[in-house]
Amino acid sequence: MIRAGFGRRVITPEVGSDMPGQIQKQISLGVHDDLLATVMVLDDSDTQLVLAGIDALSVKRSTVLKAREQIEAATGIPAGHVLVAASHTHHGGPTADVFMSESGSAYCDWVAEQIAQAAIEAYVKREEVSLIVGAGEEGSVAFNRRFRMKDGSEQTHPGKGNPDIVRVAGPIDPMVGVIGAVTG
């Protein structure tokens, strides 16, 4: 028997926050759609897993460790059984120190709490399910931003038309994996 539960929390930062991921500093001027922390807890009675996805450019190790600690304290799920991944949006909150953006420690701590709260909600909501897994391909969304340069180095974003570009450094991974949980 497999049980699954789902939880979600809004992690939209305040307007005026840094939005990391651009080459120049970018500040939030408003909200089009909320950013989310979405969590699935899987439980087969022997092992419990937490799969968490957050709408962010990236997630700091310290944020993951804080979320894991809170989840383990509240649910007993071992910290090592908690996976947190970021969607890599360039319009998320200040979770990364990149280019001219700085992460916000208070925001990162709050995101860790929201991940934990979503996981606790998912843990409480567990019910018997059938799992369905699948995979497909979507090759038109991503592109490789790393390039092999004439000097043998690899460079990310070396500039359009840079005469020192030899070739793209590697392929993209077009695979899209899906896990579904169906009740009844």
Side-chain angles (χ1 to χ4, degrees), residues 3-9 39 41 117-129 183:
R3 293 189 302 161
F6 297 86
R8 183 184 322 180
R9 289 292 183 277
V39 176
V41 170
Q117 289 303 310
I120 294 164
E121 176 186 353
Y123 180 81
V124 169
K125 289 182 168 180
R126 288 170 299 157
E127 61 183 307
E128 193 170 333
V129 298
T183 60

Side-chain angles (χ1 to χ4, degrees), residues 11-14 17-22 25-26 35-37 53-64 84-115:
I11 59 168
T12 305
E14 293 181 17
S17 296
D18 267 4
M19 293 191 323
Q22 303 300 321
K25 191 172 189 77
Q26 184 174 344
L35 302 171
L36 302 172
I54 63 170
D55 293 330
L57 180 72
S58 61
V59 60
K60 287 179 163 279
R61 178 175 172 76
S62 59
T63 302
V64 173
V84 180
S87 64
H88 195 77
T89 180
H90 286 239
H91 292 90
T95 59
D97 299 303
V98 61
F99 298 119
M100 297 177 76
S101 293
E102 293 180 15
S103 61
S105 60
Y107 178 74
C108 289
D109 288 348
W110 180 72
V111 167
E113 291 172 22
Q114 299 315 302
I115 294 166

Side-chain angles (χ1 to χ4, degrees), residues 147-169:
F147 293 86
R148 174 78 61 184
M149 306 304 286
K150 286 181 180 175
D151 67 3
S153 67
E154 287 186 8
Q155 197 172 4
T156 302
H157 297 299
K160 263 189 177 172
N162 185 325
D164 293 330
I165 295 173
V166 175
R167 68 180 185 285
V168 174

Side-chain angles (χ1 to χ4, degrees), residues 16-52:
S17 296
D18 267 4
M19 293 191 323
Q22 303 300 321
I23 292 174
Q24 297 177 338
K25 191 172 189 77
Q26 184 174 344
I27 301 296
S28 165
L29 301 175
V31 176
H32 185 276
D33 294 307
D34 276 323
L35 302 171
L36 302 172
T38 305
V39 176
M40 175 186 207
V41 170
L42 294 171
D43 181 353
D44 72 357
S45 298
D46 291 323
T47 304
Q48 298 167 328
L49 301 173
V50 176
L51 305 175

